[in-house]
């Protein structure tokens, strides 16, 4: 069994880099050692051309090694190391102004500072470092120019302007490069953080959806099975044959619920090849209402309005809302003598109404506009998760939910869904024939149907 994993955004970014860059980013210690070695090699090469000075060559070599060691710790203390390296290179320049490697350590540190601090601070430091280097060269301008042949004199001011501009542009270049690297890292981190938040939000929404589906399946099936078992216990004394049929219905309901749960859990696995069950449709709605009738619910179903195009998501929403509402009536009002279900459709909305005249213990609170969580009863019979699930489903269609006790007793759930444009039928509006869709149920015709 193979398990596929989704690469993170950081892994995606890493694969897009050059192999050498990817290697250096994964091994920062090796990168720092290479930078130190490059500094030592280039500076040591330039020391071979140092003119005769009163300072022994080994002192300059010691300064080079000290700077190399400091550069190794550039990531840990960038500002401190920058100041010390700049000071040591200024000392090297005063010892021999012709030392061509003077300023390389400063450029490395300017790049490092720019990768960790804001561009404004980095460019200010680059400007100050350039000013100190140019000032040091100006102090030793005669030694820097050397002996000039007659007729080939070079203006010291022109030379300093040229050298200063070159040093400034070099320092600005490494600073800009470091700022670009810093901004790129920040950008990647923001994208990775955004991706993680989107993934977390998607997982949260998926958990909510799964919990809602599990609640609808389990609560509905168990409520029907409990009602059927109560009826079977009574029928066992009066009509054993009828009790046997009820027990078969209990077994069928339990097996269907177990199959739904297994199917729902199996599709969550990435390597699962389990087939998906078809979404609830009009036939499923008929079977679901028939199941409540078998459980003893005195159900009246009324449907009116134009037909809709096939929209599995909308049909599932209608199915689940009616299922959860009737499950609540079956659980909290088993003694109800009248349960009415209405589905009223217009060109733009679908209105679902479920009313029962049963006594709901402690039902002293109502729900409007899908506010949740809800404490449905004071006696603790319900946690409000069912109403919360209905509110979430209604919100997906920019709809509303009103649920609560009625003045005459009983409980009423009113859900209004706004139909998406692609779900509206293009054919002329004609009332649907509810009797053909839901047989064996008592059906009350509306005035609209009578006029048709």
């Amino acid at each position: 069994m193979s398990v596929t994993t989704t690469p993170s955004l950081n892994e995606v970014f890493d694969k897009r880099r050059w192999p050498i860059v990817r290697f250096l980013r994964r091994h920062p210690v090796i990168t720092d050692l290479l930078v130190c070695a490059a500094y030592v090699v280039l500076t040591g090469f330039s020391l071979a051309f140092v003119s005769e000075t009163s300072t022994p060559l080994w002192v300059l070599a010691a300064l080079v090694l000290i700077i190399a060691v400091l550069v190794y710790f550039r990531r840990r203390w960038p500002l401190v190391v920058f100041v010390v390296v700049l000071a040591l290179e200024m000392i090297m320049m005063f010892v021999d102004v012709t030392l061509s490697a003077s300023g390389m350590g400063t450029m490395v540190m300017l790049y490092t500072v720019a990768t960790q601090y804001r561009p404004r601070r980095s460019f200010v430091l680059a400007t100050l470092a350039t000013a100190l280097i140019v000032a040091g060269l100006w102090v030793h301008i005669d030694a820097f120019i050397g002996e000039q042949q007659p007729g080939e004199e070079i203006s010291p001011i022109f030379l300093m302007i040229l050298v200063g501009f070159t040093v400034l542009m070099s320092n600005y270049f490494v600073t800009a490069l470091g700022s670009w690297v810093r901004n790129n890292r920040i950008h990647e981190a923001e994208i990775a953080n955004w991706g993680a938040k989107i993934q977390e939000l998607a997982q949260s929404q998926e958990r909510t959806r799964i919990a809602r589906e599990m609640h609808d399946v389990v609560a509905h099936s168990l409520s029907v099975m409990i009602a059927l078992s109560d009826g079977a216990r009574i029928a066992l004394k009066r009509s054993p044959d009828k009790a046997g049929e009820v027990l078969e219905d209990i077994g069928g309901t339990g097996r269907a619920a177990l199959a739904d749960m297994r199917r729902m859990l199996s599709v969550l696995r990435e390597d699962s090849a389990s087939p998906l069950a078809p979404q609830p449709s009009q036939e499923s709605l008929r079977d679901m209402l028939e199941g409540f009738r078998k459980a003893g619910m005195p159900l009246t179903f009324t449907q009116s309005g134009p037909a809709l195009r096939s929209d599995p998501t909308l049909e599932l929403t209608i199915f689940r809302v009616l299922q959860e509402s009737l499950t609540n009536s079956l659980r909290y009002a088993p003694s109800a003598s009248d349960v009415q279900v209405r589905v009223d459709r217009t060109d733009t909305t679908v209105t679902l109404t479920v009313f029962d005249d049963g006594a709901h213990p402690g039902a002293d609170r109502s729900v409007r506009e899908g506010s949740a969580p809800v404490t449905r009863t004071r006696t603790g019979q319900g946690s409000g998760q069912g109403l919360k699930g209905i509110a979430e489903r209604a919100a997906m269609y920019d709809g509303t939910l009103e649920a609560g006790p009625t003045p005459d007793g009983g409980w009423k759930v009113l859900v209004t869904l706004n139909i998406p444009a692609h779900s509206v039928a293009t054919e002329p509006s004609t009332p649907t024939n509810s009797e053909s869709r839901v047989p064996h149920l008592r059906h009350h015709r509306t005035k609209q149907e009578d006029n048709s």
Side-chain angles (χ1 to χ4, degrees):
M1 181 183 299
S2 60
V3 179
T4 58
T5 58
T6 303
S8 64
L9 287 176
N10 290 329
E11 294 176 347
V12 174
F13 293 145
D14 194 54
K15 291 181 179 179
R16 295 179 59 186
R17 300 186 180 97
W18 292 349
I20 183 64
V21 177
R22 187 162 58 245
F23 176 81
L24 293 177
R25 284 179 63 92
R26 293 178 179 177
H27 305 84
V29 175
I30 297 179
T31 303
D32 293 336
L33 290 176
L34 290 176
V35 172
C36 295
Y39 178 81
V40 171
V41 171
L42 294 177
T43 308
F45 178 77
S46 62
L47 286 178
F49 300 93
V50 172
S51 60
E52 295 182 1
T53 60
S54 58
T55 305
L57 189 60
W58 66 267
V59 175
L60 296 177
L63 290 175
V64 170
L65 292 177
I66 293 175
I67 293 175
V69 173
L70 291 173
V71 168
Y72 178 80
F73 297 98
R74 61 192 178 94
R75 301 177 191 268
R76 187 173 301 181
W77 306 293
L79 289 177
V80 175
V81 175
F82 165 74
V83 172
V84 176
V85 169
L86 177 61
L88 293 177
E89 290 198 333
M90 292 294 297
I91 294 175
M92 294 176 62
M93 183 176 61
F94 276 98
V95 172
D96 192 328
V97 74
T98 61
L99 188 60
S100 60
S102 179
M104 290 186 58
T106 301
M107 294 174 64
V108 172
M109 291 310 305
L110 284 174
Y111 167 83
T112 304
V113 170
T115 59
Q116 301 189 29
Y117 295 94
R118 293 182 178 180
R120 179 181 298 179
R121 176 183 296 185
S122 302
F123 280 99
V124 168
L125 292 177
T127 304
L128 293 176
T130 302
L132 289 176
I133 294 174
V134 172
L137 292 175
W138 179 255
V139 172
H140 298 82
I141 187 62
D142 295 334
F144 184 72
I145 296 177
E147 297 182 0
Q148 303 187 54
Q149 300 295 330
E152 297 181 358
E153 292 85 356
I154 300 177
S155 173
I157 297 178
F158 173 77
L159 182 61
M160 290 308 304
I161 293 176
L162 181 61
V163 173
F165 178 78
T166 303
V167 175
L168 181 64
M169 290 299 101
S170 300
N171 289 340
Y172 276 3
F173 173 76
V174 296
T175 302
L177 182 61
S179 298
W180 177 80
V181 172
R182 176 179 180 271
N183 292 335
N184 191 40
R185 292 174 181 175
I186 293 175
H187 180 65
E188 290 182 358
E190 289 176 348
I191 293 179
N193 185 46
W194 173 81
K197 289 183 178 179
I198 292 297
Q199 184 178 11
E200 181 180 356
L201 178 60
Q203 291 175 349
S204 177
Q205 292 177 343
E206 186 66 11
R207 285 195 297 267
T208 301
R209 186 188 68 83
I210 294 172
R212 185 171 59 238
E213 294 292 335
M214 292 289 290
H215 175 273
D216 291 345
V217 171
V218 175
H220 162 69
S221 300
L222 290 181
S223 298
V224 172
M225 292 173 65
I226 291 173
L228 290 174
S229 63
D230 292 341
R233 186 176 63 255
I234 298 175
L236 186 61
K237 301 178 180 178
R238 301 178 180 178
S239 176
D241 296 337
K242 183 65 176 179
E245 296 178 1
V246 175
L247 291 176
E248 290 181 0
D249 292 336
I250 294 176
T253 303
R255 284 189 292 271
L258 183 59
D260 289 340
M261 290 183 61
R262 286 177 176 173
R263 186 181 300 109
M264 189 179 304
L265 294 176
S266 64
V267 297
L268 297 179
R269 303 187 181 94
E270 296 182 355
D271 59 340
S272 175
S274 301
L276 299 178
Q279 295 292 344
S281 60
Q282 288 289 345
E283 295 297 325
S284 301
L285 178 61
R286 181 198 63 183
D287 296 339
M288 184 262 291
L289 296 177
E290 181 67 16
F292 279 107
R293 187 183 69 84
K294 289 182 178 180
M297 178 176 286
L299 185 62
T300 300
F301 179 76
T302 303
Q303 179 175 321
S304 65
L308 300 176
R309 288 180 180 176
S310 178
D311 189 336
T313 305
L314 180 60
E315 292 178 356
L316 174 62
T317 301
I318 295 174
F319 181 90
R320 292 303 188 194
V321 169
L322 295 180
Q323 182 186 59
E324 178 58 31
S325 300
L326 291 174
T327 299
N328 287 339
S329 297
L330 186 62
R331 291 176 62 189
Y332 304 118
S335 60
S337 60
D338 184 21
V339 180
Q340 300 177 11
V341 179
R342 291 184 58 89
V343 179
D344 300 316
R345 295 177 176 177
T346 66
D347 290 337
T348 57
T349 62
V350 175
T351 302
L352 309 175
T353 306
V354 178
F355 166 79
D356 68 76
D357 62 354
H360 290 244
D364 58 351
R365 297 190 60 181
S366 62
V367 185
R368 290 183 177 271
E369 302 297 331
S371 58
V374 181
T375 303
R376 190 176 186 278
T377 64
R378 287 179 299 183
T379 57
Q381 291 185 357
S383 62
Q385 294 302 314
L387 292 178
K388 183 178 179 180
I390 295 176
E392 292 172 350
R393 295 184 186 277
M396 292 190 299
Y397 284 90
D398 195 22
T400 60
L401 163 66
E402 295 183 10
T406 60
D408 299 333
W411 185 273
K412 181 179 180 180
V413 176
L414 178 63
V415 177
T416 302
L417 307 176
N418 292 315
I419 303 176
H422 68 274
S423 296
V424 180
T426 56
E427 62 269 13
S429 298
T430 56
T432 59
N433 187 351
S434 300
E435 292 179 333
S436 63
R437 293 182 180 273
V438 189
H440 309 299
L441 298 179
R442 289 183 294 166
H443 175 63
H444 291 176
R445 298 180 61 86
T446 62
K447 293 181 179 180
Q448 181 181 359
E449 291 174 310
D450 293 334
N451 294 335
S452 65

